Amino acid sequence: MSSDTKFHVHHDAPEVVGRRERLGVRILIVADASFVFAMVFSYFYLRNLNTNGGWIPKDGHTFSVASGWVVVLPLIVGAILHKIGQRNLKTIGTISIITLVVYLYGLYYQIHQIMNMPFIVKDTGGFEGAYASSWVLIAGANAFHYIIASFLALGLVIRARRANVDPTLEKWRMRTAASWFTWIAISGVICAITTGIM
Amino acid sequence: MTTLSSHVSSRPIPNPKNSLITKLNAGTGLIVGVVFAVATYNLLKGENEDPGIAYNIHNRALLAAMFMWSIGFLVGIGAFIGPWRWLIGKDLTAEEQLYLAGDGQGIKRYFKYCTDHKVVGIQYLWGVITLLGVGGAMAMMIRTNLAAPGGHFITASVYNSLVGLHGITMIIAMIIVATGPFGNYIMPIMIGAADMAFPRLNALSWWVLFTAIPVLCSAWFLGGIPTGWTAYAPLSIQAGPGMNAFIATIIIFAVSTAVAGSNITATVIAMRAKGMTWNRVPIFVIGATISVALAVPAFPTFMVSMIMTALDRTYMTGFFDANIGGSGWLYAHLFWIMGHPEVYVILIPGVAVLMEIVPVFVRMPLFSYIGAVVGFAGIAGLSILVWAHHMYMSGWMPMLNGPFMVTTEMISIPTGLIFLVMLGTLWHGKPWLKLPMLGVYAFLWNMLVGGITGIYLSDVPADNYLHGSMYVTAHFHYTLMGAALTGAVAGLAYWFPKMTGRMLNERAGYVSFWLIQIGFQVLYLGMFTAGAEGQPRRVVNYASQFATANRISTVGAYLVGTGFVVLLWAVVHSWRHGKIAPMNPWGAKSLEWTVPYPVPLVNFDTPPVVTSDPYGYGKAVK
Ligand SMILES: [Cu+2]
């Protein structure tokens, strides 16, 4: 113990802190997963109910199956890039720049899709049917995932350039970030499959 | 993250120079929050000739303003300094972290972004007291209106709002009533930890919740809510501007719950003292953990349903609008997939508090620790498979009524186990009838009544008659108030010495206990009778045949109300002038009683080592 007479700060081992942080993030992922589950449940519930034949928009305008996969592709690429990058603390900064760009592109593409939805009623701005409604909710959740991921990737880029980080703790934080990146890629695939079934 | 430990109590207050964190508090939060909200509202409000579109725009502006209030407050109090500093690679220094812990900052730290779990616990306690006070005042107005047929005391629309806002206020209060104050203040000490796993997230969970309180209250100034606390669609998507307050409250609260839930769960998993194996963890900690672990996945579905409601109201989506392919059933599903587990999120910690109390006051080990754990886990597990018992009469899928009836009635089994553990512990003990212990007896009776009346409601043919009646209202008040709130109040009496350094005034405590418990039986006996005779719930007026039962109910309500006023007086008075408490007034064996008051910043001078469970009072009953 310290002989400092005023006060001293005791650090838990970085290993312990890192593991704990990852646990916390994984529990938050459970909450997010439940959110995704509720969206998917709602999508199929409304689809199978097809109340008053109002599932598919009147003139049949929907997003193509392919566009659903294009928007989640950056999520998958980002997760793989991070997996490669986290092996080496020296290169993570560089690789994270690519990861960040990939995520920002995904975010841009998702927002672009939302701004150009084909199923908006011209004069009121309302949505044409339950498919359209369920789609925009899932797209919004994807965008949210991209925003958090971009924040984390940006942090990794900046932090890699600073010398005074604890390497062990930083390594654990890579793993913690990896938990999130992996989860949003999985969630992206679930969402792409869901919106592909029209 | 860092844990801080200290040796010398007279050390100077850390004062990190040039750090923004020393200048921020709830006052700056308030200013930034209000500025954000007003600016957002003025930016987004607009006119439109089409009343439908104008309605959408107005809702958009209001909702955005409410969220921006919450975000602005958090910015202003400094909640985002930690994430920002992480982003730019300048992690908080040790000195800054010590400053955030608030040691030596006196009463001021209660109005800051303070990371000390004991400060957060006290903040939660006063948050709970405020919410219970507001919700209780609304309950008194409802009962006053129902004292006699005619209901001229308040108008029908105000009555609707009263019922809905009383409901949601109390639900929020009850979700945090035990896990908030005791889960934060006591629980880390019980497991021998220096703090929560994530101290800054701990402060975040409280202050996020705090921002929801003014949002909820704003519903009154926006015309109230017509939907009741369940906020069923499509009524909710046609409701006035007050509905936005409800939506924003739930979404903000869900964020707070997720943050608090992950923090508490991670703390119990990762921060237990050396030697505290899972079978040595105090039962309150187990109960609180199971409760939040259930809340973490449950609340997002409520959040999704509220986002859908918001989108229907602001951007004309059609989740719940049958004209364009939506369905009200979808809302009912999402709501009750959250709603039924939420009942147990409330109930389990309250019961777990009482289970912590029983062994101490009968000087007996917990009759079956494993039985209690299995009971709690069984209740939590089954609770996610029963939601559609709220939809028997909705016509959703009659062929599934039977299976949902079976799963619902199966919950009696783990609940029975909980009862047996309590009774088994009491069986050969000589109870020491102090204030906390009285709650145990009140619980056993109230939970018995609440549980048995619930079986009638879970039964499809009986529910056919009873659903939507005052009988339902009486039933769930027996469980949530009679059992869970009783547990929380007993917990307050039990841990008051550790949280304030003083004993809770015993005489005032007894008076309030008997007023509340006798009043409670009178209140809900009247309500059961009126409900069984067919009086519908949530209606401002009633037929004269229900007059006597309602008058009895209202008399009971006034007794309960008086009891809570006495309790509030006792809490405030004892906090300031109560008898100074010894370190371990009840002679209990769990770790929180081994630390002095005021509890040091890092709780323990040397990290404790645990060698047995905390219930070793004598031989187990065979
Ligand atoms: Cu239920």
Side-chain angles (χ1 to χ4, degrees), chain A residues 68-69 72 75-76 142 183-195:
Chain A
W69 284 99
V72 304
L75 287 170
I76 300 166
N142 254 336
W183 155 244
I184 59 175
I186 294 170
S187 140
V189 169
I190 294 172
C191 291
I193 292 172
T194 302
T195 54

Side-chain angles (χ1 to χ4, degrees), chain B residues 336 339-341 343-344 383 386-390 408:
Chain B
W336 288 114
H340 196 92
V343 172
Y344 293 106
S383 77
V386 302
W387 79 89
H389 63 213
H390 295 274
T408 304

